[in-house]
Amino acid sequence: MAKLPKAFEKLIEELQKLPGVGPKTAYRLAFFILKMEKEEAQSLSNSIIDLKDNVRYCQICFNLSDEEICQICSDENRNHKQICIVEQPQDAISIERSGEYRGTYHILGGAISPQEGVGPDQLRIRELLERVEKVVPEEVIIATNPNVKGEMTAAYLLRLLKGKVPRITQLATGVPFGGDLDFADEITIAKALQSRRTLDTK
Amino acid sequence: MIIKEIYLENIRKYSQKKIFFPDEKKNNQRILILGPNGAGKTTILESLIFLFRGFIYGNSPQRFIKKGASKAIIRGYFFSLKSETNHEISASISIKGSSSISLNRKEVKRELVRKIFDAYWFFPQDIELILGGDEIRRSFIDGLIKYFDSTYKKTISDYQTLVKARNEILLRAENESEVYNNKELDAIEEVLSKTTVEILKKRTRVISELNNILEWIYKEFISDKTLRIDYKTTLKISDKLKDSINESLFVSRGTDFRTGSTSVGPHRDHISLIYEGRDARYEASYGERKLMALALKVSGYKLILEKKSGEVVFLADDLLSELDGNHKITALKLLSMNCPSLIMTATEIESNIVSDGDIQRLNLEDIK
């Protein structure tokens, strides 16, 4: 097979660094970009640089932000006495999408995983404690992922925050809404049973 | 289940081979596969295990796949007696180990196949259940639970992750007093205790259920002696299970810091077989121990049948070797009375002992 032009090969190589992109997808994307109008390609490349130059982390909650303080943290209408702790910015986005939550966030930047060298010092836990001391929240919601790493992180946070915050809660795990019990996997059902709640029978 | 036909492509010595199973009775099959050594009897059992369970028994893909081929295929045609439907199951595996499975020509997750059909077995290596160390019996019990409790696999893998996490923190600590003052370790042990509770409860329950079957089976089919499983945890436990586990882990931090590993917990627990009140490892003759291992496996099979909705075939490889005449008859009786769906292998000479007219023969030499 004839060799591809150097610029083409380079792009394929770069694209493959993206998650979920293998050689075939990279090849297809590179061809697509080749066929794009120059302005479109330019805009794509600019927005990548722009992302790196202009998106910052909020000084308070460490969510992605245009400014020093993110929209949520600077919103007067939100409850600043309520902090929801999540692993990643995308977790906060998911919770925001629900429209159910009117408090603020704290993004840890990961979860405890000693095997991968991630401990409390690698997460924004010191910053969380400083924030808790300053704000004295009424409630902290621990919303780490429902897996081992998330559970270890939650257990660690609970130990740190006990006595410092009057109400510490954890996001419930259970059967997805709108689905049938029939289709829920066994682990989800087991967890849902463990965290079942008492209904008002008065 | 009724196994109608299996087709093997590039498996061991077979390039392409169709094997038709006797199925005229329209009922659960009890089949004895006959053939001289090297005829491919075990290959058929291994292929069924691969088809239902997705792993290669005691072998690497390189040895399972025919020399020179890069990919092997196993296809089976089955009839489910519970749903009264036909199923075609096809599995492929490449030399690199990647595999796929399809049910009625649609690619599916293996769990879905196991909900309909599954395989359970007794291979000559299972004598290690008696002779081997605790780890063999632990993995037997854990494996058994996984047959009918689909959440247990995740519990075990979470447990392993947590133990590794704990060990990592212990290895990183600089001195012993530091490990007793480590909040990260507190958090890990908290979650570890919760997971441990789940494992202990499930193991204890299954072992007690298994003992009920095992004691009965042993008395009924083998001898009037008692055989039972004994489970001793390495943790100091009390009524407050989770708290006592947590405490036990905390106390062992010092020792564990020095060795860099977790010395207590389900991964170190003792599971032994007790024969007439004594460790079976040191009692009885080889033949008797083989019967004990068989009784244990058959008890596990009966428990699976009680708890699982799908149909499970019992595969017994080379059952009759290393057993003397009487023991051979006992082993056959044990299997044929307790395993509704059964496939055994034997050499021609050994097979003379099989008198049960209910057992159909499949001679590998006849189907070249």
Side-chain angles (χ1 to χ4, degrees):
Chain A
M1 196 176 102
K3 265 197 135 189
L4 291 162
K6 274 203 182 94
F8 200 87
E9 293 236 346
K10 174 77 180 145
L11 181 60
I12 291 179
E13 193 187 310
E14 293 300 321
L15 287 168
Q16 277 191 63
K17 293 180 184 166
L18 298 173
V21 178
K24 275 188 188 162
T25 312
Y27 188 80
R28 236 184 348 248
L29 288 173
F31 255 108
F32 183 81
I33 293 168
L34 185 67
K35 282 193 206 143
M36 272 177 159
E37 294 294 328
K38 185 154 188 210
E39 296 82 68
E40 276 183 307
Q42 187 75 52
S43 154
L44 175 66
S45 108
N46 286 348
S47 53
I48 293 173
I49 297 300
D50 195 41
L51 179 81
K52 289 309 287 178
D53 285 346
N54 295 320
V55 174
R56 304 184 264 187
Y57 291 108
C58 168
Q59 293 296 300
I60 297 174
C61 72
F62 300 93
N63 205 345
L64 301 177
S65 170
D66 286 320
E67 310 294 329
E68 210 157 272
I69 308 294
C70 74
Q71 274 187 357
I72 294 173
C73 286
S74 47
D75 186 344
E76 298 275 313
N77 292 320
R78 296 192 74 123
N79 181 358
H80 291 263
K81 292 274 178 196
Q82 200 178 30
I83 302 174
C84 178
I85 306 171
V86 293
E87 291 179 17
Q88 302 290 358
Q90 52 267 43
D91 301 328
I93 294 170
S94 301
I95 296 176
E96 274 307 284
R97 246 190 256 130
S98 75
E100 188 68 18
Y101 182 62
R102 298 298 299 159
T104 61
Y105 295 93
H106 189 89
I107 285 91
L108 293 172
I112 291 179
S113 175
Q115 293 99 309
E116 292 161 288
V118 183
D121 294 343
Q122 281 67 45
L123 303 171
R124 294 189 193 100
I125 289 182
R126 190 171 40 86
E127 291 86 343
L128 172 70
L129 283 181
E130 284 167 10
R131 187 175 164 195
V132 163
E133 276 184 16
K134 214 158 80 185
V135 184
V136 198
E138 286 155 3
E139 182 184 3
V140 161
I141 304 166
I142 300 175
T144 51
N145 286 323
N147 54 34
V148 187
K149 291 183 207 169
E151 288 297 309
M152 285 194 274
T153 313
Y156 184 79
L157 291 173
L158 180 64
R159 286 186 143 68
L160 282 190
L161 298 171
K162 235 183 210 171
K164 295 192 172 100
V165 183
R167 187 162 184 239
I168 303 171
T169 55
Q170 189 175 17
L171 216 58
T173 48
V175 186
F177 190 76
D180 288 326
L181 276 178
D182 242 15
F183 289 109
D185 66 279
E186 290 84 349
I187 296 172
T188 306
I189 293 190
K191 288 280 169 205
L193 268 174
Q194 282 163 18
S195 50
R196 69 188 185 275
R197 63 201 156 84
T198 311
L199 294 177
D200 194 359
T201 47
K202 263 179 254 168
Chain B
M1 79 178 79
I2 294 173
I3 305 171
K4 298 172 140 184
E5 176 191 335
I6 52 175
Y7 166 75
L8 308 179
E9 188 177 309
N10 294 330
I11 306 274
R12 297 245 195 190
K13 59 174 212 161
Y14 299 126
S15 302
Q16 284 186 327
K17 182 156 183 108
K18 273 183 187 171
I19 299 154
F20 296 95
F21 282 68
D23 66 341
E24 58 273 13
K25 289 198 174 158
K26 303 287 166 228
N27 207 335
N28 267 318
Q29 291 153 310
R30 277 191 281 208
I31 293 169
L32 180 64
I33 302 177
L34 294 171
N37 288 326
K41 303 184 293 288
T42 307
T43 305
I44 296 175
L45 301 192
E46 285 172 340
S47 301
L48 284 168
I49 292 176
F50 183 72
L51 207 49
F52 296 146
R53 290 256 113 197
F55 76 96
I56 300 163
Y57 186 87
N59 268 304
S60 59
Q62 283 82 358
R63 294 203 45 202
F64 191 55
I65 298 172
K66 190 180 161 70
K67 233 184 190 163
S70 60
K71 190 179 159 192
I73 296 170
I74 302 166
R75 197 176 304 129
Y77 299 89
F78 306 92
F79 181 76
S80 158
L81 293 161
K82 281 192 176 159
S83 66
E84 300 197 325
T85 45
N86 286 305
H87 292 288
E88 176 187 325
I89 301 169
S90 177
S92 72
I93 180 161
S94 76
I95 197 93
K96 286 179 187 151
S98 67
S99 64
S100 70
I101 183 153
S102 48
L103 172 66
N104 302 324
R105 310 208 170 170
K106 253 206 289 201
E107 200 169 321
V108 291
K109 282 190 179 170
R110 201 163 298 269
E111 289 78 30
L112 189 70
V113 173
R114 281 192 211 140
K115 278 186 181 162
I116 310 171
F117 299 128
D118 209 335
Y120 185 82
W121 57 85
F122 180 78
F123 272 52
Q125 295 89 312
D126 283 320
I127 184 78
E128 288 300 314
L129 282 169
I130 312 294
L131 304 177
D134 284 310
E135 73 281 1
I136 291 173
R137 286 176 295 276
R138 281 195 301 262
S139 82
F140 164 67
I141 295 293
D142 288 340
L144 190 60
I145 301 173
K146 284 180 203 164
Y147 266 90
F148 42 78
D149 182 337
S150 55
T151 65
Y152 196 64
K153 189 176 167 194
K154 187 170 181 300
T155 309
I156 293 288
S157 95
D158 282 358
Y159 178 80
Q160 285 161 346
T161 308
L162 288 157
V163 169
K164 277 189 205 143
R166 184 178 184 268
N167 293 347
E168 188 63 41
I169 304 281
L170 291 169
L171 282 170
R172 240 186 265 154
E174 289 182 353
N175 56 58
E176 199 173 321
S177 65
E178 194 186 305
V179 296
Y180 284 103
N181 272 307
N182 188 318
K183 284 206 174 70
E184 208 180 340
L185 213 45
D186 293 344
I188 293 169
E189 286 177 4
E190 158 90 26
V191 185
L192 188 56
S193 309
K194 244 195 262 174
T195 314
T196 302
V197 169
E198 255 175 76
I199 297 175
L200 286 190
K201 279 188 174 166
K202 286 184 176 170
R203 277 189 184 169
T204 313
R205 189 164 74 206
V206 158
I207 287 174
S208 124
E209 290 168 335
L210 200 56
N211 269 335
N212 287 339
I213 305 174
L214 179 64
E215 286 187 56
W216 173 79
I217 276 198
Y218 204 77
K219 283 227 156 78
E220 186 80 15
F221 293 94
I222 300 176
S223 79
D224 56 358
K225 307 268 167 53
T226 56
L227 180 68
R228 46 179 293 278
I229 308 160
D230 184 53
Y231 184 36
K232 273 200 186 71
T233 175
T234 41
L235 295 152
K236 281 207 178 72
I237 52 168
S238 68
D239 291 348
K240 283 188 173 169
L241 200 52
K242 188 175 150 264
D243 295 345
S244 60
I245 292 167
N246 219 335
E247 175 72 24
S248 220
L249 285 165
F250 181 80
V251 171
S252 71
R253 278 185 197 179
T255 329
D256 296 354
F257 163 71
R258 289 190 290 276
T259 60
S261 66
T262 298
S263 60
V264 291
H267 68 298
R268 291 287 179 93
D269 286 354
H270 305 296
I271 300 181
S272 21
L273 269 156
I274 304 295
Y275 178 68
E276 287 288 278
R278 290 155 79 156
D279 193 327
R281 237 181 300 185
Y282 314 111
E283 304 289 321
S285 69
Y286 187 88
E288 284 169 315
R289 290 184 195 145
K290 186 163 177 176
L291 287 181
M292 287 180 194
L294 182 66
L296 188 57
K297 275 264 163 163
V298 171
S299 306
Y301 178 67
K302 285 181 85 85
L303 193 61
I304 292 171
L305 291 186
E306 262 176 39
K307 290 181 174 263
K308 198 179 153 94
S309 59
E311 294 162 68
V312 191
V313 60
F314 192 105
L315 310 171
D317 186 42
D318 204 11
L319 173 75
L320 303 171
S321 69
E322 294 168 333
L323 289 176
D324 64 28
N326 280 336
H327 284 158
K328 276 190 174 72
I329 294 168
T330 309
L332 275 171
K333 202 169 129 202
L334 176 62
L335 284 189
S336 59
M337 303 282 278
N338 292 291
C339 306
S341 175
L342 174 66
I343 298 179
M344 298 184 282
T345 68
T347 58
E348 189 72 50
I349 302 163
E350 291 164 346
S351 74
N352 294 336
I353 205 146
V354 181
S355 55
D356 191 340
D358 203 28
I359 293 177
Q360 293 169 292
R361 286 158 193 250
L362 173 67
N363 204 320
L364 276 191
E365 287 204 316
D366 301 341
I367 51 168
K368 273 204 180 110

